[in-house]
Amino acid sequence: MKVTINDVAAKAGVSIKTVSRVINNEPSVRPATKKKVMDAVKELNYQPNLAARNLAGTRSYTIAFIYDNPNAYYVIDMQNGILDACKARGYELLIHPSNSKSPDVHKELEDLVEHSKVAGLVLTPPFSETPEVIETVKKLGVDYVRIVSSEAAQKDEDNCIQVDDSSAAYELTKHLLDQGHKRIGFLCGGEEHVSTHGRLDGFKRALQDGGIAPQQELILKGEYSFDSGVQGAKKLLQSDNPPTAIFASNDEMAAGALFAARLMNIDIPAQLSIVGFEDSPFSRQTWPKLTTAHQPNNEIAKCAAALVLSKARSKGAAESGSASKEAGIQRTFTPSLVERDYSGPAPS
Amino acid sequence: MKVTINDVAAKAGVSIKTVSRVINNEPSVRPATKKKVMDAVKELNYQPNLAARNLAGTRSYTIAFIYDNPNAYYVIDMQNGILDACKARGYELLIHPSNSKSPDVHKELEDLVEHSKVAGLVLTPPFSETPEVIETVKKLGVDYVRIVSSEAAQKDEDNCIQVDDSSAAYELTKHLLDQGHKRIGFLCGGEEHVSTHGRLDGFKRALQDGGIAPQQELILKGEYSFDSGVQGAKKLLQSDNPPTAIFASNDEMAAGALFAARLMNIDIPAQLSIVGFEDSPFSRQTWPKLTTAHQPNNEIAKCAAALVLSKARSKGAAESGSASKEAGIQRTFTPSLVERDYSGPAPS
DNA sequence: AACCGGGATGACAACGCTGTCATTTCGACT
DNA sequence: AGTCGAAATGACAGCGTTGTCATCCCGGTT
């Protein structure tokens, strides 16, 4: 049958409590003893029983992943990253699709935390950027890490993994400017996403630094969807003085913009350049491939999970104050330019 | 703190064992007693502690979802369906991305089952259609349910939720034939998917029933990807005698075909009809929208999970032989035609 | 050489539930 | 009313781990 802590203790010639100490990295175990135990663990391929740990211990070995982003690629990427981090540390993952706009969210969160005894929460946008939700989470006193666009991180940096949308958008815009584009259309994502504002901000800053006056008529509101990209691009391209480039706030919109351009028989990239954002599989499934900003969602999620786990752990073990600034966990990510087929110099 | 079985027992004036009997639906509890207990449960909002259940009981309250399909939409849909079923029955879900082609699969599965003490497995294609993998799962003696294309279900119907690709493809093809199309191109999905063969089979049958001779040159091998759709459609449309309609084996390929047609300035649906398969968000993110066969992945997954849970339960409880044919769980799904913008009568 | 203090270790209860088995209850039949 | 058997219920021991607290051992003091 399954190998338990008793087997390990017997093999190592110590008590189960000592084994427990070793696998939990508690102090007061002589190096020699520790080695004996670790050898036994390895030899028997022992792995602590999660159910028993959860039951007996004060801390839990489960964290939850909460999301309400409709983009499947995004969610899967994040989920896999978190899963990796959990596996590495012997934790379990509870998947919790939710809806930040629903009035039940608060009770839902409460139930999740109280009932399931989770050690921590990983939140992604737009859920992670909804103030009331964060408020509730804070009140619950559970450890959490929010993955957010930098602008949304202000108040509790310590619980955030940030994505610097503004800087990335700046870089992307600069790329277009460098290629001679003077009129660049901008398709905004949904208002509820902080990233929408960050990306727009970066875009504007780059324009300004490039000495180009604001062109309000080229900035269009929208949503992070294909349809929205189609509509926005159409509007831009049908205007009297159409832009020579379009900055779409994500790849899906860029694919939409691309589609619209095709419909209008516009040659790409000769007449029009298009850039996306995120580097989702979407940008590669379009054809030819989109120039975009690569956002390492998998890695971001892994760091978020690692961070929340380290919080949960340090809390459980030594209450040694300095636990917060975890070494080795990257806190800020700036998506970086990936130049592909869909952008080129401005037409002369 | 948390409300436990003891609180319920106290409130109801019975022993904890009786409470246990009630919440597990075991026999030999007087209706009056049962009611008392249920009332107490409701009043206290009691929910059994999963860790304790897992630890104490012989059966486990965790099932695993194993997949290796790269399509995020597909996976998320399935996952949500399974999650629903689990929640409804108080089970926990273990997410396990895998790779049916990796040589480590067997050991991986073994570890998963032995170590994590899962009550059941839900498998999706192509993982669920890989013979060696199924072999391993069977050997492990764990309950499982495979979601498969009907053709792959032969041997162990009892553990399958089937998707009748052939019939659905037949219907879709018939739809095209009814509109007067005589030359229809067919873009195959990846060989490793049984659905690829089922869909082709349905296509051929419909053609035959429609009195149209096989046109081998119109059937192209491919993969379930956008790129593959682009390539295939290009090839078809550049031939001497191009088809008036294209049956793409999934929506992603259809989107690719659509894209290729646009590039070649082919008017749709006037000159060419395109149909997809699956009704993934993809088919709606394309624009205008694709005609396709709606495959209710969410529902399918829910049934699969319900089935595996009923297996696990019946095994744990009364070993009453007849447990297998679960009432009320749909076993076969036939995706059904969803007519949208991208198909029309054949050009005259 | 006896003594002390603190690090190292172990014994044992507890976590919340299920499984086993003993005990009680109840209706039906003498 | 007394007896019997099955149904209903409960007492109690685990499940594999952690937390608490007692014990042991050791080097350093006096």
Side-chain angles (χ1 to χ4, degrees):
Chain A
M1 261 285 293
K2 278 247 52 211
V3 25
T4 78
I5 200 172
N6 290 290
D7 305 324
V8 177
K11 176 137 223 150
V14 298
S15 76
I16 59 167
K17 182 64 218 190
T18 298
V19 175
S20 172
R21 287 198 179 93
V22 172
I23 61 177
N24 288 295
N25 236 316
E26 286 170 26
S28 297
V29 180
R30 208 163 303 174
T33 315
K34 188 164 183 173
K35 186 174 179 324
K36 271 195 300 185
V37 173
M38 301 220 289
D39 286 350
V41 165
K42 221 165 264 170
E43 196 166 337
L44 298 172
N45 187 27
Y46 165 71
Q47 291 196 258
N49 178 312
L50 245 158
R53 262 150 98 107
N54 275 329
L55 186 56
T58 48
R59 63 182 180 282
S60 129
Y61 290 81
T62 303
I63 66 171
F65 168 39
I66 306 183
Y67 66 86
D68 67 337
N69 190 314
N71 184 326
Y73 288 114
Y74 183 81
V75 173
I76 287 282
D77 261 7
M78 289 288 177
Q79 181 171 301
N80 285 338
I82 299 175
L83 228 33
D84 281 351
C86 285
K87 238 173 234 165
R89 291 169 186 73
Y91 274 69
E92 213 169 24
L93 217 212
L94 212 61
I95 306 288
H96 195 88
S98 184
N99 180 357
S100 53
K101 280 169 204 148
S102 149
D104 303 334
V105 180
H106 305 276
K107 201 171 166 305
E108 200 182 309
L109 280 171
E110 208 176 305
D111 280 1
L112 183 69
V113 172
E114 308 274 277
H115 174 60
S116 304
K117 200 182 166 190
V118 290
L121 265 34
V122 175
L123 314 173
T124 55
F127 200 94
S128 61
E129 298 171 345
T130 308
E132 313 97 66
V133 169
I134 306 308
E135 206 54 47
T136 302
V137 171
K138 269 186 186 154
K139 264 194 204 121
L140 289 171
V142 64
D143 284 318
Y144 68 92
V145 168
R146 300 159 57 204
I147 295 174
V148 297
S149 187
S150 292
E151 280 74 17
Q154 312 288 16
K155 298 294 164 70
D156 60 348
E157 285 190 353
D158 210 51
N159 292 316
C160 288
I161 296 287
Q162 307 182 22
V163 176
D164 190 346
D165 287 291
S166 180
S167 299
Y170 185 96
E171 192 193 357
L172 215 45
T173 308
K174 188 153 183 315
H175 170 69
L176 291 172
L177 293 175
D178 287 349
Q179 294 193 302
H181 294 278
K182 305 264 183 236
R183 288 184 64 76
I184 307 176
F186 189 91
L187 305 178
C188 295
E191 291 285 329
E192 74 275 26
H193 289 265
V194 173
S195 60
T196 293
H197 309 292
R199 290 172 198 180
L200 178 56
D201 175 68
F203 173 71
K204 283 182 173 168
R205 282 194 299 113
L207 245 46
Q208 192 163 20
D209 288 2
I212 293 182
Q215 305 156 308
Q216 200 56 46
E217 77 280 11
L218 291 181
I219 299 177
L220 263 46
K221 291 197 175 188
E223 270 170 42
Y224 282 135
S225 74
F226 186 92
D227 255 29
S228 178
V230 173
Q231 306 304 344
K234 269 195 176 166
K235 200 161 164 193
L236 284 173
L237 298 173
Q238 282 168 350
S239 70
D240 297 336
N241 187 5
T244 62
I246 292 181
F247 185 132
S249 283
N250 77 350
D251 292 334
E252 235 173 294
M253 299 184 80
L258 179 58
F259 192 88
R262 283 283 168 207
L263 282 180
M264 301 172 71
N265 267 318
I266 293 174
D267 192 15
I268 295 179
Q271 289 178 270
L272 178 72
S273 290
I274 297 180
V275 299
F277 202 106
E278 209 161 298
D279 195 17
S280 77
F282 224 102
S283 68
R284 270 158 278 151
Q285 277 165 358
T286 215
W287 191 89
K289 299 174 173 60
L290 284 170
T291 288
T292 189
H294 174 68
Q295 184 175 315
N297 288 328
N298 193 283
E299 198 57 35
I300 290 173
K302 213 180 282 184
C303 287
L307 183 55
V308 82
L309 289 182
S310 80
K311 277 178 197 292
R313 291 186 144 188
S314 68
K315 197 164 148 198
E319 200 77 71
S320 53
S322 68
S324 55
K325 277 289 175 236
E326 288 307 320
I329 298 182
Q330 187 177 349
R331 301 304 196 91
T332 300
F333 290 81
T334 303
S336 61
L337 181 66
V338 183
E339 204 176 336
R340 290 207 270 250
D341 310 325
Y342 265 114
S343 66
S348 49
Chain B
M1 264 285 295
K2 278 246 54 213
V3 26
T4 78
I5 199 172
N6 290 291
D7 305 324
V8 178
K11 175 139 224 149
V14 298
S15 77
I16 59 168
K17 182 65 220 188
T18 298
V19 175
S20 172
R21 287 199 178 90
V22 172
I23 60 176
N24 288 295
N25 235 317
E26 285 171 27
S28 299
V29 179
R30 209 163 305 177
T33 315
K34 189 164 182 171
K35 186 173 179 324
K36 272 194 301 186
V37 173
M38 299 219 290
D39 287 349
V41 165
K42 221 166 266 170
E43 196 166 337
L44 298 173
N45 186 28
Y46 167 71
Q47 290 194 259
N49 177 313
L50 245 157
R53 261 149 97 105
N54 275 329
L55 186 57
T58 49
R59 63 182 181 284
S60 127
Y61 290 81
T62 302
I63 66 170
F65 168 40
I66 307 184
Y67 66 86
D68 66 338
N69 190 316
N71 185 324
Y73 288 115
Y74 182 82
V75 172
I76 287 281
D77 262 6
M78 290 286 175
Q79 181 171 300
N80 285 338
I82 299 175
L83 228 34
D84 282 351
C86 285
K87 239 173 233 165
R89 292 170 186 72
Y91 274 70
E92 210 170 28
L93 216 213
L94 211 62
I95 306 288
H96 195 87
S98 185
N99 180 355
S100 53
K101 281 170 202 146
S102 149
D104 303 334
V105 180
H106 306 276
K107 201 170 167 305
E108 201 182 308
L109 281 171
E110 209 177 303
D111 280 1
L112 184 68
V113 173
E114 308 273 278
H115 173 59
S116 304
K117 199 181 167 193
V118 291
L121 266 33
V122 175
L123 313 173
T124 54
F127 201 93
S128 60
E129 299 172 344
T130 308
E132 314 97 67
V133 168
I134 307 307
E135 205 55 47
T136 302
V137 171
K138 269 187 187 154
K139 266 197 202 117
L140 289 172
V142 64
D143 283 319
Y144 68 93
V145 167
R146 299 159 56 204
I147 294 173
V148 296
S149 188
S150 292
E151 280 75 17
Q154 311 289 15
K155 298 295 165 72
D156 59 348
E157 285 188 352
D158 209 51
N159 292 316
C160 288
I161 296 288
Q162 306 181 22
V163 176
D164 190 346
D165 287 291
S166 180
S167 299
Y170 185 97
E171 192 193 356
L172 214 45
T173 307
K174 190 156 181 315
H175 170 70
L176 291 172
L177 293 174
D178 287 349
Q179 295 194 299
H181 294 278
K182 305 267 183 230
R183 288 184 63 77
I184 307 176
F186 188 93
L187 305 178
C188 296
E191 291 286 329
E192 73 276 23
H193 290 263
V194 173
S195 60
T196 293
H197 308 292
R199 291 172 197 179
L200 179 55
D201 176 68
F203 172 72
K204 282 181 174 169
R205 283 193 298 113
L207 246 46
Q208 192 163 20
D209 289 1
I212 293 183
Q215 305 157 307
Q216 199 56 46
E217 76 279 11
L218 292 182
I219 299 176
L220 263 45
K221 293 199 173 182
E223 270 170 44
Y224 282 135
S225 73
F226 186 91
D227 253 30
S228 179
V230 173
Q231 307 302 343
K234 269 195 176 167
K235 201 162 162 190
L236 284 173
L237 297 172
Q238 283 169 348
S239 70
D240 299 335
N241 188 4
T244 63
I246 292 181
F247 185 133
S249 284
N250 76 352
D251 291 335
E252 230 172 296
M253 298 183 79
L258 177 59
F259 191 89
R262 283 282 168 209
L263 282 181
M264 299 172 72
N265 266 317
I266 292 174
D267 193 15
I268 294 180
Q271 289 177 269
L272 178 72
S273 290
I274 298 179
V275 299
F277 201 106
E278 209 163 297
D279 195 17
S280 76
F282 225 102
S283 68
R284 269 158 278 150
Q285 277 166 358
T286 215
W287 191 87
K289 298 174 174 56
L290 284 170
T291 289
T292 189
H294 174 68
Q295 183 176 313
N297 287 330
N298 193 284
E299 198 57 35
I300 291 173
K302 214 181 280 184
C303 286
L307 183 55
V308 81
L309 288 182
S310 80
K311 277 177 196 291
R313 289 187 147 187
S314 68
K315 197 164 145 199
E319 198 78 71
S320 53
S322 68
S324 56
K325 275 292 173 231
E326 288 307 321
I329 298 182
Q330 187 177 348
R331 301 303 197 93
T332 300
F333 291 81
T334 304
S336 61
L337 181 66
V338 183
E339 205 176 334
R340 291 206 270 249
D341 310 324
Y342 265 115
S343 65
S348 50

